[in-house]
Amino acid sequence: METADEVRAHLDALREAAWELAALVLALEDRTEVSPDARRAAVDLLVTRGLFVASDDGPRPSAALDEVLGGRAPMVAAQTAAAITQPAGLVAGADVWTRQDDEAILAQGRASAQAPMMFKAFVLPSLEGLAELLDAPGAAMLDVGVGVAAMAVAYCETFPNLRVVGLDVFPRALELAARVIDEAGVADRVELRLQDVAALDERGVYALGWLPAPFIPRPALEAAVPRMAAALVPGGWLMLAHGRLDEPGIAPALTRLQTAVFGGTTLEAAEAQALLSDAGLVQVFSPPSPPGAPALAFGRAPQASS
Ligand SMILES: C[S@@+](CC[C@H](N)C(=O)[O-])C[C@H]1O[C@@H](n2cnc3c(N)ncnc32)[C@H](O)[C@@H]1O
C-alpha cells in the first residue's frame, strides 16, 4: 500500500467489513434486543452483497453461504460475533477472553472439536507407540486449558478407551464444560479441575499431554513443560501447539496480536522444540500441519530403562 488513496480505500473496506460481519450475525441469530428494522436492514445488506437471496418466503442464505454454514448457523454466527466482539473488547481495554458471553466461549470451544479427528488421521501415525498407549485400558490424556471441554469430548469420541483430565483457571468455562460433558454422555470419562497447569504435580500418568501456548502465559508455560513431561507415562507424548509464524502476508502479525490479547505465549518452532528437549523429552520434532491448524511440536518421555 503506497498511496494515500490505497490506504483510504483499505480503511474504508475494513470499516465496511466490520459492519458486514455484524449484519451476518444479526441475520443468522434471533437476537431479541435488536429491532426488526435493524435486522431487516442487515439482511438487505447481505442480499446486496450476494450472501442472501430473495425467495418466496423472504430472503434466505444463498446456496454458497448455506454450504459454508453446513447446518451449523448458530456456531458460525457465534464465531463471527467473536471476530467483532474480541477486537472491540481490546479497544475497550477489557479482558477479551473472560468477558465473552457463554455462547461465544462455547463456539470457540466447538471450533477445536475437529482437532482430535485430524490428530488421529494425520499426526498419530508419526508418533511412535502412541496409538497403542491411547488404546490401552485406563489410558489418560491431559488437556491443558480444557475450556468448555468440546475438544475433550471429541477426544473421548475418537479414542473409546481414553479418559481425559482437563485443567483450566477460568471457573465459568469449567461450569460450561460440566454441562457439555454431561450432554455428551462422557461425564464419567472427563475429570475437570480448576487448576493452573503451573501447579501440576503428577508423575507417570498420561499417554498424551496437550499444551496450547497461544492461551497460556509464558511463566505458566515454562513451568508447565517440565511438569507435564514428568506427568507422562514412559513413551508418552507431549503435544505443544503454537501459532504459525512462518506464513506469508499479515497472518504472523495477526497471530502475535491475538496471542498477546489472550495473554498467551508466542513461540517459534525452534523455541518450542527447545522447551521440550530441555524438559528431558526425546524424539522432539515438528510435523507439517495443514493450513488453518496450529503449528505443533512433539516430544516423547523416555522409555523406562530395563
Ligand atoms: C481457547 S481455550 C480452550 C478451548 C478448549 N479446547 C475447548 O474445547 O473449549 C484456552 C483455555 O486455556 C485456559 N488457561 C489459560 N491459562 C491457563 C493455565 N495457566 N492453566 C490452565 N488453563 C489455562 C483459559 O482459561 C482458556 O479457557
Side-chain angles (χ1 to χ4, degrees):
M1 238 170 293
E2 285 174 7
T3 68
D5 278 348
E6 283 171 341
V7 171
R8 219 170 273 123
H10 180 63
L11 294 182
D12 283 348
L14 291 178
R15 292 186 193 107
E16 277 179 23
W19 281 94
E20 194 174 324
L21 290 176
L24 184 61
V25 176
L26 259 54
L28 294 179
E29 276 185 352
D30 195 10
R31 294 199 172 214
T32 47
E33 73 275 18
V34 175
S35 75
D37 281 352
R39 191 166 185 279
R40 240 185 327 267
V43 171
D44 285 348
L45 188 155
L46 298 174
V47 171
T48 310
R49 170 61 81 202
L51 288 171
F52 269 55
V53 290
S55 78
D56 292 345
D57 305 326
R60 58 170 177 73
S62 69
L65 176 58
D66 237 356
E67 192 179 325
V68 170
L69 296 175
R72 299 163 304 143
M75 186 180 113
V76 175
Q79 285 170 345
T80 305
I84 321 173
T85 56
Q86 291 178 354
L90 173 62
V91 172
D95 181 333
V96 170
W97 178 246
T98 54
R99 77 186 281 278
Q100 300 183 99
D101 62 24
D102 288 357
E103 268 321 302
I105 295 173
L106 284 164
Q108 195 139 340
R110 282 188 210 115
S112 62
Q114 307 286 334
M117 203 184 64
M118 306 281 282
F119 169 77
K120 185 174 183 187
F122 299 111
V123 186
L124 184 60
S126 58
L127 300 172
E128 190 187 338
L130 186 58
E132 294 74 24
L133 286 179
L134 291 174
D135 213 23
M141 176 208 174
L142 180 65
D143 180 357
V144 172
V146 65
V148 298
M151 194 179 80
V153 165
Y155 264 101
C156 287
E157 289 167 353
T158 309
F159 298 98
N161 282 333
L162 192 64
R163 189 171 62 81
V164 178
V165 173
L167 311 185
D168 210 293
V169 289
F170 182 23
R172 188 153 57 91
L174 288 176
E175 284 164 25
L176 294 169
R179 248 173 42 203
V180 168
I181 61 174
D182 245 358
E183 283 166 13
V186 294
D188 57 338
R189 291 174 58 203
V190 181
E191 180 189 340
L192 300 171
R193 292 188 199 153
L194 181 60
Q195 183 183 0
D196 189 324
V197 62
L200 181 73
D201 191 15
E202 290 173 290
R203 301 193 86 79
V205 178
Y206 301 104
L208 176 64
W210 161 256
L211 183 59
F215 298 101
I216 311 295
R218 185 170 280 274
L221 185 90
E222 288 179 354
V225 176
R227 285 169 181 263
M228 289 182 73
L232 293 172
V233 297
W237 287 88
L238 177 49
M239 169 162 45
L240 174 56
H242 58 97
R244 299 166 73 107
L245 302 175
D246 55 356
E247 294 185 316
I250 192 183
L254 187 56
T255 297
R256 286 182 194 280
L257 172 61
Q258 289 170 333
T259 305
V261 167
F262 285 124
T265 307
T266 305
L267 293 177
E268 304 272 354
E271 194 188 354
Q273 291 190 13
L275 278 171
L276 299 175
S277 302
D278 291 350
L281 296 173
V282 297
Q283 293 175 245
V284 171
F285 78 112
S286 299
S289 59
L296 299 171
F298 288 90
R300 189 180 194 199
Q303 303 279 358
S305 50
S306 49

